[in-house]
Amino acid sequence: MNKKFNEGLINNDISLFSKLGQGIIALDSNYNIVSIDKKAIEILHITDNTKLNGSFSGFLAQAKLPEKQISNFVKKIPEIKIDHNKEVELLNKDIVLITGALISNPDLTEEFIILSFLNISSLREIEKKKRQFVANVSHELKTPLTSIQGYIETMIDSDLSNNLRDKFLKIVQKQSNRLRLIIEDLLMLSKLEKDELDQSIELTYQSVNSIIDDAVTQCEMKKYKKNILLIKEFDTNLFSLINPSLLEQAVVNLIQNAIKYSPENSKVEVIL
């Protein structure tokens, strides 16, 4: 089989993979570069002065790619003779998935190694955000659930006035709405994985005082366990562009931490 035919075969394979958004490098049995496409050059950030032929190890060193990781990966391909993958991190922190495969020309006289390169940085970033979200969501769910449970138990076990009962029911309703917003955040996470998320945060111009007042009200049940005096002091009526749900959750977390780490019979002041 002549060399021209082999190169045509390799280039056909490269053209197919390139249409799938993957960069391709083809190597011969001596680990010399047979072909490299533009997509591979783009994904690997290859500069113009990098030699695109000759030994693959030399190419890796000149291109400042993780030579040892990739070379060890490539050398295993002829041994295991099945497709396998490896993720590597480039100097610019991009995460690239490399897939290696062994192919032969039609008369089986020569074997070639085909390496496909796919930039999966955005995918890994989404997974990182997902892990962070999952780590935080249990805490975010616990806060309104604990509040709802506390107020309901108080209403069941205590003889409350109608006014106080109505106040507690409004708090329970508000915490239920917070649970709904958390569920909406979970749906947003699903959209993020499908690249459908509108990444802007919705802001409204409204009173900051009312948000902080609601946050203080949510934390009132916590103060009784340690006999803490929870004081709010507003010297001004502040209006600003805010996301009410996010601001309220942040203030609730701050107040609850202040109560948690304050000694018994002390006071926590919320001053605006």
Side-chain angles (χ1 to χ4, degrees):
M1 190 64 60
N2 61 51
K3 181 179 180 182
K4 184 176 181 180
F5 184 90
N6 286 341
E7 290 177 350
L9 175 69
I10 296 299
N11 289 330
N12 285 338
D13 288 329
I14 287 177
S15 177
L16 174 63
F17 282 102
S18 295
K19 291 178 181 178
L20 300 176
Q22 301 179 40
I24 302 295
I25 297 178
L27 310 176
D28 62 20
S29 56
N30 294 316
Y31 303 106
N32 292 314
I33 297 176
V34 175
S35 183
I36 179 171
D37 71 351
K38 292 181 180 179
K39 192 66 178 178
I41 293 173
E42 174 189 333
I43 291 174
L44 298 175
H45 303 284
I46 305 303
T47 58
D48 293 338
N49 60 351
T50 302
K51 188 178 179 182
L52 300 180
N53 53 29
S55 74
F56 184 57
S57 60
F59 164 79
L60 294 175
Q62 190 177 8
K64 297 182 179 179
L65 296 171
E67 182 180 356
K68 185 176 181 181
Q69 291 183 57
I70 298 178
S71 292
N72 291 339
F73 167 80
V74 169
K75 289 176 182 178
K76 291 179 181 178
I77 297 174
E79 299 173 5
I80 61 177
K81 296 185 181 297
I82 57 174
D83 298 2
H84 68 302
N85 306 313
K86 182 175 182 62
E87 292 183 19
V88 296
E89 182 176 327
L90 307 185
L91 288 178
N92 68 344
K93 302 302 182 181
D94 277 356
I95 306 297
V96 174
L97 176 67
I98 308 175
T99 301
L102 194 66
I103 67 170
S104 302
N105 58 16
D107 60 2
L108 304 178
T109 58
E110 191 171 0
E111 290 183 328
F112 298 92
I113 296 172
I114 302 295
L115 302 174
S116 71
F117 298 83
L118 182 63
N119 192 326
I120 58 171
S121 302
S122 58
L123 176 61
R124 291 295 175 259
E125 183 63 24
I126 289 173
E127 291 177 348
K128 179 181 177 182
K129 290 179 180 178
K130 183 177 179 180
R131 288 193 298 270
Q132 291 172 341
F133 183 88
V134 171
N136 292 330
V137 74
S138 60
H139 174 72
E140 301 299 329
L141 287 169
K142 183 178 179 181
T143 300
L145 283 173
T146 301
S147 179
I148 291 171
Q149 182 181 18
Y151 283 107
I152 289 177
E153 289 176 351
T154 301
M155 286 188 289
I156 292 174
D157 298 335
S158 304
D159 184 15
L160 304 175
S161 66
N162 289 336
N163 288 338
L164 192 55
R165 183 178 294 274
D166 288 343
K167 178 181 178 181
F168 284 3
L169 285 173
K170 287 179 181 179
I171 294 174
V172 169
Q173 182 184 42
K174 187 174 184 63
Q175 294 306 302
S176 298
N177 288 332
R178 287 185 61 197
L179 286 175
R180 177 181 55 80
L181 291 173
I182 292 172
I183 292 172
E184 288 177 357
D185 285 345
L186 287 169
L187 295 176
M188 289 176 67
L189 180 65
S190 177
K191 289 181 180 180
L192 177 63
E193 292 178 327
K194 298 177 182 178
D195 293 328
E196 295 175 358
L197 177 66
D198 177 6
Q199 298 185 11
S200 61
I201 297 176
E202 184 178 350
L203 301 177
T204 58
Y205 187 77
Q206 68 179 78
S207 170
V208 176
N209 298 55
S210 62
I211 300 299
I212 296 179
D213 190 50
D214 288 341
V216 172
T217 301
Q218 291 179 42
C219 299
E220 284 184 347
M221 295 296 296
K222 294 279 187 179
K223 68 182 183 181
Y224 295 115
K225 293 181 179 181
K226 299 177 68 175
N227 194 30
I228 286 179
L229 182 62
L230 183 56
I231 302 172
K232 59 182 178 182
E233 182 179 332
F234 298 159
D235 293 332
T236 182
N237 190 15
L238 178 64
F239 282 79
S240 182
L241 277 173
I242 60 173
N243 181 287
S245 176
L246 294 178
L247 178 59
E248 184 176 320
Q249 181 61 54
V251 176
V252 167
N253 289 343
L254 288 172
I255 296 174
Q256 288 184 346
N257 284 335
I259 294 173
K260 180 179 179 180
Y261 295 107
S262 294
E264 294 185 359
N265 304 312
S266 61
K267 65 180 180 179
V268 171
E269 296 180 275
V270 181
I271 301 174
L272 181 61

